[in-house]
């Protein structure tokens, strides 16, 4: 595992009125790792990653990405800098085909990357879009309208859209929700392949998936950091068992 710190937070906080959704969380993820973020419903996981991606602003605290303070950067700038976030609820364009959805992400990535010599922008767009769809197993569904696809396939399409952005950090929020057992197995293989070129932050309730994929795990509870550790350490943690794992 690489030792470079990719992203870190210090005292990251978000309050909604009297609700402490995220409260003074210090967090660090290193380049090249697969980190899982787990916790009970209402633990603050989605609020936390929404803070990381810039979808909402913190009440207090700071966020650094590759050593630069991005706390006040808007979401679109964080995407350009290399942070991609697939939502817990699908955020596809239902009236466009799968190909067209992914092509929009490819176009966004192309704006910040030099074009290889000898390849037209159109050819590059087509190739990268097809590659992203093939990686998630949707190559044969490129022409399908996104809105007519099954929920599980829509989740995979959203992952393809995230991959097409060529991120340094890919945040996956409940990606196996709606997937069949066979699709989950393929997804796990995909995440391992993604981790060769990007860091992955995985928010997931499926504990067998978490234990199979994660290099390390962070546990949140009531908006606060409860534990960090390897899968083995988290599985053996009595506090985590009482708060979360023991309830499964």
């Amino acid at each position: 595992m690489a030792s470079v710190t990719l992203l870190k937070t210090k005292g990251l906080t978000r309050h909604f009125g009297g609700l402490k959704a995220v409260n003074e969380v210090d967090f660090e993820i290193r380049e090249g790792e697969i980190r899982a973020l787990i916790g009970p419903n209402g633990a603050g996981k989605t609020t936390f990653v929404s803070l990381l991606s810039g979808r909402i602003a913190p009440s207090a605290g700071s966020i650094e990405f590759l050593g630069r303070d991005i706390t006040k950067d808007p979401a679109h700038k964080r995407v350009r800098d290399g942070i991609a976030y697939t939502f817990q609820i699908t955020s596809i364009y239902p009236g466009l085909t799968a190909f067209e959805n992914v092509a929009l992400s490819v176009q966004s990535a192309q704006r910040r990357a030099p074009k290889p010599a000898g390849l037209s922008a159109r050819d590059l767009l087509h190739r990268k879009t097809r590659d992203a769809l093939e990686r998630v197993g949707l190559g044969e569904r490129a022409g399908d309208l996104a809105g007519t696809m099954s929920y599980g396939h829509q989740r995979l399409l959203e992952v393809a859209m995230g991959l097409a952005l060529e991120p340094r950090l890919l945040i996956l929020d409940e990606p196996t929700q709606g997937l069949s057992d066979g699709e989950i197995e393929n997804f796990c293989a995909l995440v391992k392949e993604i981790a060769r070129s990007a860091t992955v932050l995985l928010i997931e309730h499926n504990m067998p998936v978490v234990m199979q994929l994660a290099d390390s795990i962070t546990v949140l509870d009531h908006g606060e950091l409860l534990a960090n550790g390897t899968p083995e350490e988290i599985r053996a943690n009595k506090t985590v068992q009482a708060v979360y794992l023991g309830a499964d």
Side-chain angles (χ1 to χ4, degrees):
M1 184 185 303
S3 60
V4 176
T5 297
L6 183 69
L7 179 144
K8 69 178 180 179
T9 71
K10 187 171 180 60
L12 193 62
T13 298
R14 175 66 194 213
H15 294 174
F16 296 97
L19 173 65
K20 298 179 179 180
V22 173
N23 193 47
E24 298 185 359
V25 172
D26 294 341
F27 173 84
E28 182 175 308
I29 185 169
R30 295 185 174 275
E31 200 162 34
E33 75 172 304
I34 300 173
R35 171 73 65 88
L37 181 64
I38 67 172
N41 289 331
K45 303 183 296 297
T46 294
T47 300
F48 180 71
V49 296
S50 294
L51 290 167
L52 299 184
S53 65
R55 294 185 65 224
I56 58 176
S59 303
S62 64
I63 307 168
E64 287 187 8
F65 185 63
L66 289 170
R68 188 177 70 80
D69 191 319
I70 63 168
T71 310
K72 296 183 179 180
D73 287 355
H76 65 85
K77 189 175 190 308
R78 298 188 200 193
V79 170
R80 288 201 304 267
D81 289 344
I83 299 175
Y85 174 27
T86 70
F87 302 104
Q88 186 176 25
I89 301 171
T90 54
S91 57
I92 59 170
Y93 299 96
L96 300 180
T97 65
F99 184 94
E100 290 165 339
N101 269 272
V102 176
L104 290 173
S105 293
V106 173
Q107 286 177 326
S108 178
Q110 285 181 345
R111 295 190 191 105
R112 68 176 192 269
K115 181 176 71 68
L119 196 63
S120 71
R122 180 184 178 86
D123 288 344
L124 184 63
L125 174 69
H126 188 274
R127 188 187 72 186
K128 289 193 171 185
T129 301
R130 295 294 308 191
D131 284 350
L133 287 166
E134 292 288 350
R135 287 177 76 183
V136 302
L138 295 178
E140 295 182 358
R141 297 182 178 273
D144 291 2
L145 280 178
T148 67
M149 300 171 76
S150 70
Y151 181 75
H153 285 154
Q154 288 180 0
R155 299 312 310 273
L156 292 173
L157 175 59
E158 196 183 33
V159 173
M161 293 166 69
L163 288 175
L165 291 168
E166 300 179 1
R168 298 287 295 273
L169 173 63
L170 180 61
I171 303 172
L172 301 172
D173 196 348
E174 300 289 354
T176 66
Q177 185 177 339
L179 300 186
S180 67
D181 290 344
E183 288 170 335
I184 289 174
E185 184 177 346
N186 291 336
F187 172 79
C188 290
L190 171 64
V191 170
K192 291 176 182 178
E193 188 264 329
I194 291 170
R196 297 176 184 172
S197 58
T199 302
V200 176
L201 177 57
L202 177 70
I203 299 89
E204 182 57 66
H205 277 107
N206 186 323
M207 291 311 298
V209 169
V210 168
M211 294 299 176
Q212 176 183 345
L213 288 177
D215 298 308
S216 56
I217 298 173
T218 294
V219 187
L220 291 182
D221 182 44
H222 292 97
E224 297 187 351
L225 183 64
L226 182 66
N228 277 310
T230 65
E232 294 75 18
E233 290 168 340
I234 294 301
R235 196 194 305 271
N237 186 303
K238 299 297 185 184
T239 303
V240 175
Q241 287 178 14
V243 169
Y244 185 55
L245 297 183
D248 288 352

